[in-house]
Amino acid sequence: MCLRMMEMTPARLGGWTKRSIFPVLGAGLFLWSAAPARATGTGQSIEKQFKITGRPVVVIHNVANGRIEVKSWKNSEVDVVGTQSSNKVGFDIEQVGDRIDVTATILDAGAQPLELEANLQLTVPEETELQLKTETGLIYVEQVMGDMKLESYAGDVHLKEVSGYIIVKTTGGSLICAQCAGKLDFSSIGGNAQILQPQLNNVNLMTTTGNILFDGDFVRTGLYSMKSGKGLVEVRFSSTDSFDLKAQTATGVVDNQASAFLKPDSHGVKHIASKFTHGLFGTVGMGLAKVELSSYSGTIRIMKRD
Amino acid sequence: MQCKDLELVLEQEGLEPLPEEARAHLAECRDCRNYIADLTSLVDAAKRLPSEITPPDRVWISLRAQLEAEGIIRTPAETVPAESASWWQSISAFFRNRVVASAMVGILIAAGAVFQIRSDRAAPALDPPKSVQTPPPHAIQEVPAGEFAGTAQALNDQEPVATGMILASTSPVDVSLRDNLKKVNEFIADCERHLKEQPQDELTREYLSAAYQQKAELLSAMIERGRSIN
């Protein structure tokens, strides 16, 4: 049961390799010598700062309970503050070139949940890539530009004024994304998703039992897909928006509260819903963006904002 | 020959043997010599990388779910009755070790997928291979018929192992995982019921496929957490 890695040949390399990456690789290898730091203690905190030369990549894996907070500043440094409730949790913090790895580890598997709390507060340059993984605590990211992958089992994810390719994956945690820009992928089983005042041009939201709320503008030429198995899918658009709408549900209902603004498709394409689904097709404005809403048994609600 | 021509030669033919024209260009062009040196060092570094990685169990389960969802592989829903109690007891004793059990389930799923693909390829020339496709002996639990039968069976087999590994845990994460597994199971049951009534409903089929994938990931997460706890 193994995957064999693709054999790397010069012929393949030649297509994508540019000479400019070699100095970067060399610098990365040179900086690899940075020694890892480990901190343990009872109810104490650790703070470390790392100088970076380019766009940093911050990787956090918090296997303890706790919150991860990431904010930005103008400095070319990554500041990490970790606090822990007991000496049964430890932090491993390591710099490899412009990559900062932070891992909160459980040192005593027999510890009580209250003893396993580890909070992390990071301040990073505005342009930073993030990979954050936690179990129960909140992930909060504010004013960071860069691709980010945020994973949580039970914790919520709150994003404010972030941009880039944003991937959020939770089991039961919910997402609130306020004034986000770029591309957003969200998948969850029980979590809700609230997208507020976005400037997103590509959105994929999927939850099995959670609710979805999209309250904001659809960027022209944007693609938006929102799916909930059992939950409510609600879209609030403005009268200046321009999008084609396709809403389908297998056993739920489509609640169209914007019929005055929704015209039949203006591009000459006649949409017919499957005989097994309840569907609604229409166009707002010129129909420049594409919006697809679907549910299995949940309600789909379309309404115009005040 | 120009620098661009040399890059083209490298893309098409690799590092060696270089044609005469390319070698002549290299003798005169320092940039290209540096380029070749960089490429050579990269290739050497690549050769030193580990050649194999072992993917987590969820990859195999998700792969199987996806293959079944796309109709590439199919598993018949027929099951065989359990055999003698003593034989079964020896199997279950073996499976008491949770790590071994989860590894075995992963192996069975992968082996099943490979076997299924091979038998599907051979199907036009052979009689229906029902007698050949013997499901694992512990596969006596009733599973839904249809294209998702194999996935449902594999996940049903794995579910007691996965839930058992975090059964005693009261941590919020494990409580959340169990809660969400229940939600997914209810949703799957709902979709299966609906598909029995309306087998042509593609939208429901999409949701069912996604739910099985979510369940596979959930079980995998439970097993991984169980391993770290135990």
Side-chain angles (χ1 to χ4, degrees), chain A:
Chain A
M1 288 175 47
C2 294
L3 290 179
R4 187 165 290 279
M5 290 181 69
M6 278 198 313
E7 197 172 331
M8 199 179 280
T9 65
R12 282 188 177 153
L13 284 168
W16 56 269
T17 311
K18 296 292 173 198
R19 286 163 210 196
S20 58
I21 70 165
F22 296 117
V24 178
L25 280 174
L29 287 169
F30 179 73
L31 291 169
W32 201 0
S33 56
R38 166 168 274 232
T40 59
T42 305
Q44 65 182 29
S45 67
I46 177 176
E47 177 163 10
K48 288 188 81 73
Q49 291 193 336
F50 301 95
K51 289 204 177 298
I52 48 96
T53 53
R55 173 188 280 218
V57 177
V58 174
V59 182
I60 298 179
H61 188 186
N62 188 1
V63 296
N65 307 322
R67 169 188 173 107
I68 299 174
E69 181 179 304
V70 183
K71 291 183 178 177
S72 67
W73 60 5
K74 302 285 183 190
N75 302 350
S76 295
E77 286 179 344
V78 173
D79 182 67
V80 182
V81 179
T83 55
Q84 58 206 83
S85 58
S86 75
N87 59 3
K88 293 173 180 175
V89 184
F91 292 111
D92 285 319
I93 307 173
E94 175 180 48
Q95 178 173 19
V96 184
D98 281 345
R99 192 184 83 225
I100 313 294
D101 283 351
V102 183
T103 307
T105 51
I106 295 170
L107 304 177
D108 179 357
Q112 297 301 309
L114 280 177
E115 297 174 309
L116 297 178
E117 192 166 312
N119 298 311
L120 283 160
Q121 192 171 355
L122 279 85
T123 314
V124 301
E126 285 176 335
E127 292 194 17
T128 298
E129 292 186 21
L130 300 174
Q131 278 192 42
L132 314 182
K133 193 170 183 180
T134 186
E135 307 220 327
T136 55
L138 172 74
I139 294 178
Y140 180 82
V141 183
E142 183 176 337
Q143 289 184 325
V144 176
M145 291 182 284
D147 298 343
M148 51 191 80
K149 185 174 184 185
L150 316 171
E151 293 177 83
S152 165
Y153 287 129
D156 292 343
V157 178
H158 291 188
L159 308 176
K160 187 179 177 189
E161 295 173 46
V162 301
S163 65
Y165 183 8
I166 305 158
I167 299 171
V168 180
K169 192 170 183 182
T170 75
T171 304
S174 293
L175 166 71
I176 297 178
C177 196
Q179 294 167 277
C180 300
K183 179 177 180 181
L184 171 66
D185 280 357
F186 169 73
S187 63
S188 177
I189 294 173
N192 304 318
Q194 280 188 46
I195 315 301
L196 310 171
Q197 297 173 270
Q199 277 299 308
L200 295 157
N201 55 27
N202 194 312
V203 172
N204 278 294
L205 310 177
M206 166 70 193
T207 173
T208 302
T209 61
N211 301 322
I212 292 173
L213 169 65
F214 185 98
D215 187 348
D217 299 335
F218 292 107
V219 175
R220 294 173 178 225
T221 71
L223 301 172
Y224 304 84
S225 167
M226 302 173 214
K227 301 177 179 178
S228 175
K230 288 182 161 180
L232 168 72
V233 180
E234 182 169 320
V235 166
R236 300 175 191 166
F237 64 91
S238 73
S239 55
T240 57
D241 277 349
S242 172
F243 61 91
D244 274 345
L245 176 74
K246 179 181 175 186
Q248 286 190 105
T249 177
T251 64
V253 295
V254 180
D255 177 15
N256 179 13
Q257 297 186 10
S259 49
F261 297 89
L262 209 57
K263 301 173 294 185
D265 191 288
S266 59
H267 316 303
V269 180
K270 189 175 181 182
H271 294 281
I272 301 170
S274 157
K275 66 178 179 178
F276 303 105
T277 59
H278 309 284
L280 173 70
F281 305 94
T283 299
V284 172
M286 299 283 289
L288 295 176
K290 185 174 181 181
V291 179
E292 294 187 343
L293 313 176
S294 93
S295 78
Y296 169 69
S297 60
T299 296
I300 298 175
R301 181 171 299 138
I302 301 128
M303 56 197 297
K304 190 185 84 65
R305 272 181 288 143
D306 294 333

